[in-house]
Amino acid sequence: MRSKSRHDMAREGVHGVVRSLYLLFIAAITITSTAVVVGVASPTYAAAPPLGNTTSILNDDGRLEVFAASGTVLYHNFQTSPGGGWSGWISLGQPSGGLWNGPSVAKNSDGRLEVFATSLGALYHAWQDSHITGGWSGWAKIADLSSPSAPTAVKNLDGRLEVFVGNAQGIWHAWQDLSRNWSGLANLGMTVDGHTLGSGAISVGVNSDGRLELVALDTYNIVMRIYQLSSGGAWSGWTSMGGGCRPAAARSPHLMPNQDGRLELFIMSPIYNENNASLCHRWQWPTFSGGWSGWAELGGTSLDTMGGFAWTQASDRLVVLARDTHGTLYTIEQTAPNGSWSGFTQRSASGYDASVSIVANGDGRWELFANRNGQPYHAWQTSVGGPLSGWVPLESN
C-alpha cells in the first residue's frame, strides 16, 4: 500500500477540520425528530449558492434536471420545457443531520425522480410526488449506517430501484419491492483476499439481461467486481479486475452501457504522481458470457484523479467528460455506436472545480455542467454532433 505523503496528511487534516465545523454547525441548528420523514423540502427559489457534487438526469418529458449540494443542503434546477429555459435553484432541504455524501438520482418506473444521499449516520432518500407537477417529498430514512460513503442508485430491469453504499464494514445495498417499499440494508462483503472494501468508489451497471454488476475499489486500489447470477437474484462472489493500466493504480471506476448492452469500465490511472492520470478502459466481449477484455489506454497524461469524471450516452455513442489538474474540461467519445474512440477535445478554459456532470438532451445533444469557484455553469451542443456553446451561469432564464 502507498505510504501517505505530507500532502495527503495535510489534505486529510483540512478535511477533518471542515467536517468538525460542519458537525458543530449541525449540532447547533438540528432539532431531533422521531418522524419518519424529515427535512421537508422548501419551494423557495434562490440565486445559485456555492455548489458541489453536481449530477444531472433527463426527465421522461425531455427536460433536463440538475442536482447539487451547498453545504449540507440539496438544491435542484430544471428546464421549464425540453431544451428551454431554467427554473432557478430551489432548495430540497436536508436530511436529519445534514447531507454529507451524494446525491445520486434515479427514475422510478413511472418516471418520478428519486434522490439519495447520506448523513454521517444514515442513508436517506426523497422523491417526486408527481413527475408532472414536480413536487417533492421531505427526506426519509432508509436505514442507519455509520459513516457511509456517497450512494449509487440504479433501476432494475423490472423498474425497481436499488441503492448501494459503502462504509468501514463493507458494501451494502437496499432495494424496492414491487410496491416501492424499501428493504433494510444487506451486506455484499467487507474483505476479499485480505483487501478491505467499502471505503473506495462504487459504480453499478445493468447488463442487457437485467443482471446488475458492481465494481468497487479496495484499499489497494484494485478494481473488484461482483454481479447478479440472474436478474434480481443472488450475487456472485468478488473477483479482481486488476489495477488498471498500471498495477494497483485504479481511481474513480465508472461502468457504462454500450448501445448493444455490453458494459464498459473506465478508470483514472495515475502516471507521474498521485494526481496526474490517464484514462483506461476494458469492455465485455460481444458474447455476453461475462468475459472481459484486458486494460487499454485511451490517453490523457494530466487528468485529475481527485474528481471531475462523468459520462453519458448520446446518439447511441458513449461520451466521457474529464477534468485535468488545471481545471480544464475535455471530452472523448465513441466515433460510432459500440465503436472505437476519438482523441480528447478541449471543452473549457482552466479553473473549473472537480464537480462536473454531462447528460444527453432528448434530441441527442449533450450538455455539460461544471462549477467555477463554487458557482454553477453549463454549456451545450448547438446541434447533434455539433460545436459547443459558450459557458454561461446556470441560474434561471
Side-chain angles (χ1 to χ4, degrees):
M1 178 186 290
R2 181 181 63 85
S3 298
K4 292 183 178 179
S5 67
R6 287 180 295 175
H7 174 71
D8 290 332
M9 290 186 286
R11 182 170 58 200
E12 290 177 0
V14 171
H15 287 175
V17 170
V18 172
R19 285 176 180 262
S20 297
L21 290 173
Y22 267 129
L23 287 173
L24 288 172
F25 176 73
I26 291 164
I29 66 171
T30 300
I31 300 175
T32 303
S33 173
T34 57
V36 174
V37 178
V38 295
V40 176
S42 167
T44 303
Y45 286 69
L51 295 170
N53 298 348
T54 305
T55 189
S56 53
I57 195 169
L58 179 69
N59 281 281
D60 276 356
D61 61 4
R63 294 176 303 108
L64 297 183
E65 192 153 349
V66 183
F67 297 82
S70 177
T72 61
V73 176
L74 184 66
Y75 288 79
H76 70 139
N77 195 342
F78 51 87
Q79 288 178 328
T80 55
S81 61
W86 291 81
S87 64
W89 292 98
I90 307 169
S91 172
L92 288 175
Q94 62 182 356
S96 180
L99 186 153
W100 199 249
N101 281 310
S104 177
V105 62
K107 275 192 289 191
N108 281 280
S109 56
D110 60 4
R112 292 178 305 109
L113 300 184
E114 195 153 339
V115 66
F116 301 83
T118 58
S119 68
L120 286 179
L123 171 65
Y124 287 88
H125 65 143
W127 56 92
Q128 281 181 326
D129 296 322
S130 166
H131 73 283
I132 299 173
T133 61
W136 282 80
S137 73
W139 289 93
K141 183 192 295 184
I142 293 178
D144 291 312
L145 189 65
S146 174
S147 301
S149 67
T152 298
V154 67
K155 182 164 68 175
N156 282 277
L157 195 63
D158 60 9
R160 295 176 303 108
L161 298 185
E162 195 154 347
V163 61
F164 298 81
V165 65
N167 75 347
Q169 284 72 52
I171 293 175
W172 305 79
H173 65 137
W175 56 92
Q176 289 176 327
D177 61 23
L178 293 176
S179 299
R180 299 197 184 96
N181 298 312
W182 282 88
S183 72
L185 286 170
N187 193 284
L188 285 172
M190 176 180 173
T191 59
V192 180
D193 298 330
H195 296 192
T196 301
L197 298 166
S199 59
I202 297 170
S203 183
V204 183
V206 183
N207 283 284
S208 58
D209 59 6
R211 294 178 303 109
L212 299 185
E213 191 142 346
L214 180 148
V215 292
L217 294 182
D218 68 12
T219 48
Y220 290 86
N221 293 315
I222 300 296
V223 181
M224 304 301 294
R225 166 179 170 251
I226 191 172
Y227 53 89
Q228 286 180 326
L229 301 174
S230 61
S231 180
W235 290 78
S236 70
W238 289 91
T239 57
S240 171
M241 298 191 77
C245 297
R246 282 156 287 281
R251 305 288 190 278
S252 304
H254 284 64
L255 276 174
M256 310 179 192
N258 277 280
Q259 182 269 340
D260 61 9
R262 293 176 304 110
L263 296 179
E264 197 154 342
L265 172 62
F266 296 78
I267 63 163
M268 295 292 186
S269 185
I271 302 175
Y272 307 117
N273 55 46
E274 176 68 19
N275 295 327
N276 290 269
S278 66
L279 183 65
C280 293
H281 69 144
R282 60 186 302 183
W283 54 92
Q284 285 178 329
W285 295 118
T287 59
F288 301 100
S289 61
W292 286 75
S293 73
W295 290 103
E297 290 263 16
L298 278 173
T301 58
S302 61
L303 301 179
D304 190 359
T305 62
M306 303 309 295
F309 186 20
W311 68 275
T312 192
Q313 190 181 96
S315 302
D316 295 328
R317 296 176 298 112
L318 293 178
V319 184
V320 175
L321 172 65
R323 172 184 176 271
D324 72 9
T325 53
H326 301 289
T328 305
L329 303 180
Y330 296 84
T331 58
I332 183 171
E333 57 190 298
Q334 287 178 326
T335 56
N338 316 306
S340 58
W341 288 80
S342 70
F344 283 90
T345 301
Q346 183 175 336
R347 298 298 185 181
S348 78
S350 61
Y352 283 88
D353 304 340
S355 179
V356 301
S357 184
I358 181 172
V359 66
N361 281 276
D363 60 6
R365 294 177 303 110
W366 34 263
E367 195 148 345
L368 311 179
F369 302 91
N371 297 337
R372 191 168 188 158
N373 299 320
Q375 298 300 313
Y377 289 81
H378 66 139
W380 56 92
Q381 282 184 315
T382 56
S383 60
V384 176
L388 203 65
S389 72
W391 286 87
V392 297
L394 179 58
E395 295 175 351
S396 62
N397 52 15

